[in-house]
Amino acid sequence: MSFAERVAGLMARPGQGDAVDKDDVPWYLKYAGRAVGIIGGFFAVLFGLYNCIGILLGDISCLISGVLQILAGFVVLAIEAPFCFMFIDFVSKIAEMADNRPYWNRAVLYCAIAIPPVILCLGLGSLFGCGLLFATGMLYGMMSLGKKASAEEMRNAATVVDNKNIPTSTTNTSQNSRVNLVNNAQPISFTGPPAFDSNA
């Protein structure tokens, strides 16, 4: 495979050749998830290096947090932007395997790897870098839910559910959606405040 074919194969990513049926996901969510993942991976690596400076102050937990954040950033970049690692062969295989999995797998992975660095070293660098990774996981979680039904489909589903919950004696009178929920409802009236007895 030539260099140009490899680059073209890596760049043609979101939604092309998915083994899992993902056609119901809007295109803007696909590209938003990919873009936030790439930006989040970059900032996770950058702020992970910043957290590693904590070793100069003797803060071991921030060093461990920085290393974990760098690793998390590399994992997200390897899955979302494998063209950054085009000279490492197994990265493209990992990215293809991740693309063939359902979206909820990525959502769980990204959210899970974003939490430990924040727990170990709570700081602005950890919150921002891992927050973007967590946001990427949330976007993939939204993608895994699928497309929202149309208004007509939701209306039809609601009438079916309403008709199932109504007793058979009142089914004929409740066909109109504006029927009162309680048949013997009385109008609300204002009686005024209670009278104050000054003799008591």
Side-chain angles (χ1 to χ4, degrees):
M1 178 184 288
S2 71
F3 179 74
E5 290 173 348
R6 177 181 274 186
V7 170
L10 292 174
M11 294 299 280
R13 298 280 298 195
Q16 294 183 359
D18 290 337
V20 180
D21 184 26
K22 301 175 183 177
D23 292 334
D24 57 345
V25 177
W27 64 270
Y28 53 85
L29 268 181
K30 288 181 184 180
Y31 285 106
R34 183 98 32 204
V36 173
I38 292 170
I39 293 168
F42 173 75
F43 279 113
V45 171
L46 185 68
F47 286 117
L49 289 171
Y50 175 75
N51 282 349
C52 287
I53 297 174
I55 192 65
L56 297 176
L57 302 172
D59 194 358
I60 301 298
S61 64
C62 279
L63 173 69
I64 296 170
S65 169
V67 170
L68 288 176
Q69 192 170 343
I70 291 170
L71 289 175
F74 278 130
V75 166
V76 172
L77 281 175
I79 293 173
E80 298 297 327
F83 56 86
C84 294
F85 306 97
M86 67 177 65
F87 299 109
I88 304 174
D89 287 335
F90 68 89
V91 170
S92 62
K93 293 175 185 171
I94 291 172
E96 288 175 12
M97 184 180 70
D99 280 342
N100 292 334
R101 304 289 300 169
Y103 284 133
W104 69 267
N105 291 124
R106 272 195 248 190
V108 169
L109 174 68
Y110 294 165
C111 290
I113 63 176
I115 294 173
V118 175
I119 292 173
L120 288 173
C121 181
L122 184 63
L124 189 61
S126 297
L127 283 176
F128 186 69
C130 292
L132 286 173
L133 297 183
F134 196 83
T136 306
M138 297 307 290
L139 280 172
Y140 277 105
M142 286 174 32
M143 283 189 248
S144 69
L145 294 176
K147 191 171 105 175
K148 182 180 168 183
S150 68
E152 187 63 33
E153 290 173 353
M154 288 191 280
R155 236 180 262 119
N156 290 338
T159 57
V160 168
V161 170
D162 284 346
N163 288 338
K164 286 182 181 177
N165 292 336
I166 297 173
T168 56
S169 62
T170 61
T171 304
N172 54 2
T173 61
S174 64
Q175 295 302 321
N176 187 359
S177 62
R178 297 175 191 232
V179 172
N180 288 337
L181 294 176
V182 180
N183 290 335
N184 61 353
Q186 299 296 318
I188 298 174
S189 63
F190 181 72
T191 58
F196 180 70
D197 187 16
S198 61
N199 296 334

